[in-house]
Amino acid sequence: MREPQRARAVFSSEDFNLLRAAVASYLKEIQDKPESVKYANLYHRLGRVS
């Protein structure tokens, strides 16, 4: 029986930096809306990853 292959990363560390910059830009546009809290949390989580 063959061993399962190791999972490969989907995103690189550079991708996380790009995503974080995109979320920061969008966050400025929606800062007064209730959903901005979710995007702010995402922004901080992306900062921990990269």
Side-chain angles (χ1 to χ4, degrees):
M1 213 179 224
R2 292 180 2 187
E3 290 187 31
Q5 291 181 334
R6 280 185 63 187
R8 294 190 318 207
V10 176
F11 295 109
S12 71
S13 57
E14 185 177 342
D15 293 337
F16 284 108
N17 290 334
L18 290 170
L19 288 168
R20 193 166 191 246
V23 170
S25 177
Y26 185 62
L27 201 55
K28 290 177 185 175
E29 292 180 30
I30 63 162
Q31 63 186 356
D32 296 329
K33 296 183 180 177
E35 72 227 32
S36 67
V37 173
K38 292 180 181 181
Y39 284 94
N41 291 336
L42 174 59
Y43 177 82
H44 290 292
R45 286 194 305 273
L46 287 169
R48 283 189 251 146
V49 173
S50 60

